[in-house]
Amino acid sequence: MGSCYETRADKTKFIIDEDYKIKRALVRAIQNYSLYKKAQHDQEINDQQKENHVPKRGSVLPFPLTTSGGYEKIISKNKGVLGEEYETLGPLGEGGYGQVYLVKKKNINMQKERAMKVIPVKSKNAEEKTDEEIELLKNLDHPNIVKLFEYFTDNEKYYLITEYCEGGDLFNLIRNKRVFSESSAAYIMYQIFRALIYCHHTHHLIHRDIKPENIVVYSKNPAGEDLYDVKLIDFGISKIFNKLEKNNDSKIRGSLNYIAPEVLQNNFDEKCDIWSCGVILYILVIGTYPFNGKDKDDILNKIQHGSYTFPIEFTKKSSPEIRNLIHQCLKVNPEERISAKDALNHPFFNLYETKEYFIHVTEAFLNKTINNLKKYEIKNNLQELTFQYIVHNSPEIDEINLLNRVFMKFNQNNDGKMTKEELKKGLMKYLFKGKKSKAEAEKEANEIFNKLDQNNNGYIECEEFIRAGIDKKLLKDRKVLELTFNFLDKDKNGEISYEELKEVFDVKNRENEKALLDMLKSIDNDLNGQISFEEYYNMMLKIIDGLI
């Protein structure tokens, strides 16, 4: 049994340990300061060689935060130890490509749980496929596609930290409910088609494994009975396609009951996803697979011939619109099959006014959003990254869901890219309502558009819109700002160094190094070459107060 008294040896060991910690912290501080001074010295030399304009305190820095559509700066490989960053709460399920667990970020109380997809990488090919999936997810920005937050790796596995949708997958919901009403099915399918428009038309991407197990329930909408908000997951076998040629693969991939006939012929395009949607819609309202058989060969034969029927009772009670949409999705010839874009405009969705559920916001909220857009201004890259990181990592904030609705209200073709023309038409239709001329609306649209299109790709993406439109008072919360500070403080020493900023912003050329250093100096009030949380917090408060 151990003694409750402290010995001299214990005291000596404690003193040595504490002394070592102090020395180590001092060495780290000296190293960071040395790097800071070196960068400062390099800048002075460069200034002598070439006259550069030094940005004024609070001005926009010259290097872009993101490339077109990407979130490379905020969705990155976490170099820390997984067990030190996340607590595993339990298993959520298992798929063909790995296991999924419920996890929670340690030392951050405000964030909800997340899902962790664990993917074994037993070969170089498996590793490359996982890298491709990660790069793909980094570029997807849609409210009906699950978000990737960060990832870890070791010698054997990848650990993808994603959004957690607490309602489980659609497969379990179907198993519990058996059959859905037409209006409920319309609400679910509208979201899936909307996500596929974004995949097919914006990113030329085929999901290839659309099935209820890969559709997760984010929440139940309080606006109506059995209205479920859903998101698409698992892009593990997705593929970029060329519209001018059919795709093929060395191996037939997908799930038997949802696979399209042309995939079995190994000659397919994005329309194979639409076939799978037709199968899901059939299941939702009838409760069985459209292509049943006594064995696998029988099922495959029926799929290849498009051989299915509607139960007599369903035919009597169902609308002709839903039967027609199912037929349009399950045409054997993909060239005759309906597209995701045309499916979203099908009379079935008009029958239940489905679109109105997704774009309805009060006029007061719409006015508030437009005012926030007008006031929006980027003072420095650290502010831009902060807003981007918070919006991307906090999808559970109610106002973000409302802003998604406003975005979809303006983005009439549902491709996830708001053009200047769409913004102008939206302002005229929903806000000005004849109170302003077309020329005035165009001028206002130009001003807002130029502020929001930060990566200069010619359109506004969903999260770009949300960052500008969100009530900035929500971002003043100390705990909210701790999220981004914790992300930037890579070595977790309580301060952000020049090298950490350089790594996050991927700064490589001399001009951008100078701009980054100038930004650090404008925030570093105690001149120690690093940014403390208080310095960062005070800088953000001043900026946010100016936007309210």
Side-chain angles (χ1 to χ4, degrees):
M1 186 172 178
S3 171
C4 62
Y5 295 98
E6 192 174 42
T7 66
R8 184 183 299 272
D10 292 330
K11 286 183 179 179
T12 304
K13 183 178 182 299
F14 174 78
I15 291 167
I16 290 170
D17 287 346
E18 285 301 298
D19 188 49
Y20 172 72
K21 287 178 184 177
I22 292 167
K23 286 180 179 177
R24 189 173 61 177
L26 186 60
V27 168
R28 189 189 296 123
I30 291 169
Q31 287 173 338
N32 282 327
Y33 188 70
S34 297
L35 289 167
Y36 170 73
K37 294 303 289 183
K38 181 182 182 299
Q40 195 173 30
H41 178 66
D42 289 345
Q43 177 199 328
E44 289 169 358
I45 292 173
N46 190 53
D47 285 345
Q48 292 169 4
Q49 294 172 344
K50 177 184 176 182
E51 284 191 16
N52 284 323
H53 170 66
V54 178
K56 295 178 183 177
R57 184 173 180 135
S59 66
V60 180
L61 297 182
F63 55 93
L65 178 59
T66 63
T67 57
S68 175
Y71 295 88
E72 292 83 359
K73 304 294 184 295
I74 62 168
I75 305 173
S76 59
K77 179 179 178 180
N78 191 317
K79 296 177 182 177
V81 178
L82 178 65
E84 293 177 0
E85 300 262 356
Y86 285 92
E87 176 187 358
T88 303
L89 302 177
L92 287 174
E94 187 173 355
Y97 302 94
Q99 294 178 308
V100 183
Y101 296 89
L102 181 66
V103 297
K104 186 169 179 61
K105 189 92 167 174
K106 291 182 176 179
N107 304 319
I108 298 180
N109 296 323
M110 65 163 292
Q111 273 189 334
K112 65 177 290 187
E113 293 87 356
R114 293 176 170 180
M116 179 176 70
K117 181 179 178 182
V118 182
I119 307 173
V121 281
K122 298 177 181 177
S123 65
K124 187 68 177 175
N125 182 55
E127 187 176 336
E128 288 172 357
K129 286 294 295 179
T130 306
D131 285 335
E132 286 174 13
E133 182 180 358
I134 289 168
E135 288 306 309
L136 179 67
L137 288 171
K138 282 183 180 181
N139 287 280
L140 298 181
D141 173 18
H142 193 279
N144 296 117
I145 296 175
V146 77
K147 293 179 185 294
L148 173 68
F149 296 126
E150 61 181 336
Y151 64 99
F152 298 76
T153 63
D154 59 27
N155 293 331
E156 298 177 345
K157 296 173 184 176
Y158 274 68
Y159 306 86
L160 276 57
I161 308 296
T162 69
E163 201 173 352
Y164 168 55
C165 298
E166 58 192 28
D169 61 39
L170 185 59
F171 179 82
N172 283 318
L173 190 61
I174 291 169
R175 192 164 57 180
N176 293 332
K177 282 189 64 65
R178 306 298 296 174
V179 175
F180 291 73
S181 66
E182 284 194 21
S183 60
S184 181
Y187 189 86
I188 291 169
M189 294 307 302
Y190 191 90
Q191 297 170 80
I192 300 171
F193 282 127
R194 195 168 66 173
L196 287 179
I197 289 176
Y198 179 72
C199 291
H200 294 170
H201 296 274
T202 305
H203 288 279
H204 306 288
L205 177 71
I206 315 172
H207 186 281
R208 297 176 73 196
D209 200 16
I210 302 290
K211 58 183 179 180
E213 293 92 329
N214 285 337
I215 299 162
V216 289
V217 179
Y218 185 70
S219 63
K220 188 173 181 180
N221 193 314
E225 186 180 355
D226 291 342
L227 300 181
Y228 298 94
D229 296 324
V230 300
K231 293 178 184 269
L232 203 54
I233 64 168
D234 204 342
F235 287 77
I237 61 169
S238 59
K239 186 173 184 178
I240 301 295
F241 70 92
N242 184 343
K243 193 65 182 171
L244 299 177
E245 59 186 45
K246 294 290 182 180
N247 292 268
N248 56 63
D249 209 332
S250 58
K251 181 180 177 182
I252 294 174
R253 302 173 189 273
S255 301
L256 175 63
N257 292 102
Y258 305 92
I259 203 164
E262 65 270 23
V263 176
L264 298 173
Q265 305 297 327
N266 206 8
N267 189 23
F268 58 91
D269 59 16
E270 82 281 7
K271 292 288 188 70
C272 68
D273 286 340
I274 304 302
W275 175 279
S276 303
C277 287
V279 174
I280 292 172
L281 181 54
Y282 186 102
I283 293 169
L284 287 173
V285 292
I286 295 175
T288 61
Y289 293 112
F291 305 103
N292 272 317
K294 60 181 182 290
D295 55 33
K296 179 181 175 181
D297 289 338
D298 191 22
I299 293 170
L300 289 174
N301 182 57
K302 287 181 178 179
I303 288 171
Q304 286 174 321
H305 292 89
S307 179
Y308 71 95
T309 59
F310 292 126
I312 295 173
E313 196 63 28
F314 174 77
T315 305
K316 288 179 181 178
K317 293 181 178 181
S318 61
S319 68
E321 286 85 356
I322 192 169
R323 296 196 301 274
N324 180 265
L325 180 55
I326 292 171
H327 279 314
Q328 293 294 326
C329 291
L330 295 180
K331 286 185 177 290
V332 173
N333 184 348
E335 293 181 6
E336 296 176 2
R337 198 176 303 152
I338 197 168
S339 68
K341 201 172 226 179
D342 289 339
L344 210 60
N345 294 313
H346 192 275
F348 172 58
F349 295 112
N350 297 332
L351 186 66
Y352 294 101
E353 299 181 334
T354 310
K355 182 178 180 180
E356 297 308 310
Y357 280 108
F358 295 102
I359 65 171
H360 174 71
V361 291
T362 65
E363 190 168 338
F365 184 80
L366 192 59
N367 279 316
K368 185 181 86 166
T369 300
I370 299 302
N371 285 331
N372 288 339
L373 297 179
K374 290 178 184 176
K375 293 178 185 176
Y376 190 60
E377 186 179 359
I378 297 294
K379 295 291 186 181
N380 63 46
N381 285 90
L382 194 52
Q383 170 215 343
E384 187 183 7
L385 183 139
T386 297
F387 286 179
Q388 188 182 67
Y389 188 82
I390 291 170
V391 166
H392 184 79
N393 282 271
S394 310
E396 66 275 6
I397 294 176
D398 290 338
E399 182 154 324
I400 289 178
N401 293 322
L402 289 174
L403 287 164
N404 277 327
R405 289 169 175 255
V406 178
F407 181 85
M408 291 298 175
K409 198 177 186 76
F410 282 49
N411 181 216
Q412 287 295 307
N413 67 359
N414 291 291
D415 66 353
K417 301 188 299 184
M418 187 192 298
T419 63
K420 193 181 292 185
E421 187 64 22
E422 284 178 321
L423 178 61
K424 183 180 74 176
K425 287 181 178 178
L427 291 172
M428 290 287 288
K429 182 176 180 180
Y430 299 115
L431 195 66
F432 300 153
K433 298 179 180 177
K435 297 173 187 174
K436 291 190 178 183
S437 67
K438 188 175 180 180
E440 288 175 314
E442 190 154 347
K443 181 183 177 185
E444 201 151 313
N446 283 338
E447 289 174 358
I448 293 172
F449 190 89
N450 293 334
K451 282 184 180 183
L452 269 59
D453 182 23
Q454 287 296 315
N455 52 20
N456 298 313
N457 57 9
Y459 50 84
I460 301 168
E461 291 149 304
C462 191
E463 285 193 8
E464 280 182 318
F465 182 83
I466 292 170
R467 291 197 295 273
I470 196 168
D471 184 350
K472 304 306 180 295
K473 291 176 186 175
L474 296 172
L475 308 183
K476 289 181 72 173
D477 189 312
R478 194 178 180 91
K479 289 182 179 178
V480 170
L481 290 172
E482 280 176 355
L483 287 177
T484 310
F485 187 87
N486 186 62
F487 165 72
L488 292 166
D489 180 18
K490 300 297 183 184
D491 63 7
K492 308 306 175 196
N493 72 337
E495 293 191 297
I496 304 168
S497 68
Y498 172 79
E499 285 301 307
E500 286 170 331
L501 288 174
K502 192 175 177 182
E503 178 187 339
V504 169
F505 287 108
D506 195 26
V507 170
K508 291 175 181 175
N509 65 55
R510 180 78 69 179
E511 184 179 352
N512 287 349
E513 284 180 354
K514 176 183 182 297
L516 185 67
L517 184 62
D518 190 74
M519 180 181 72
L520 188 149
K521 288 195 297 184
S522 72
I523 303 166
D524 177 25
N525 294 324
D526 61 9
L527 303 177
N528 72 339
Q530 300 187 81
I531 301 171
S532 68
F533 177 72
E534 291 304 321
E535 289 170 334
Y536 166 78
Y537 181 64
N538 290 330
M539 178 271 296
M540 287 304 303
L541 285 188
K542 286 179 183 177
I543 290 174
I544 292 169
D545 284 339
L547 299 176
I548 294 175

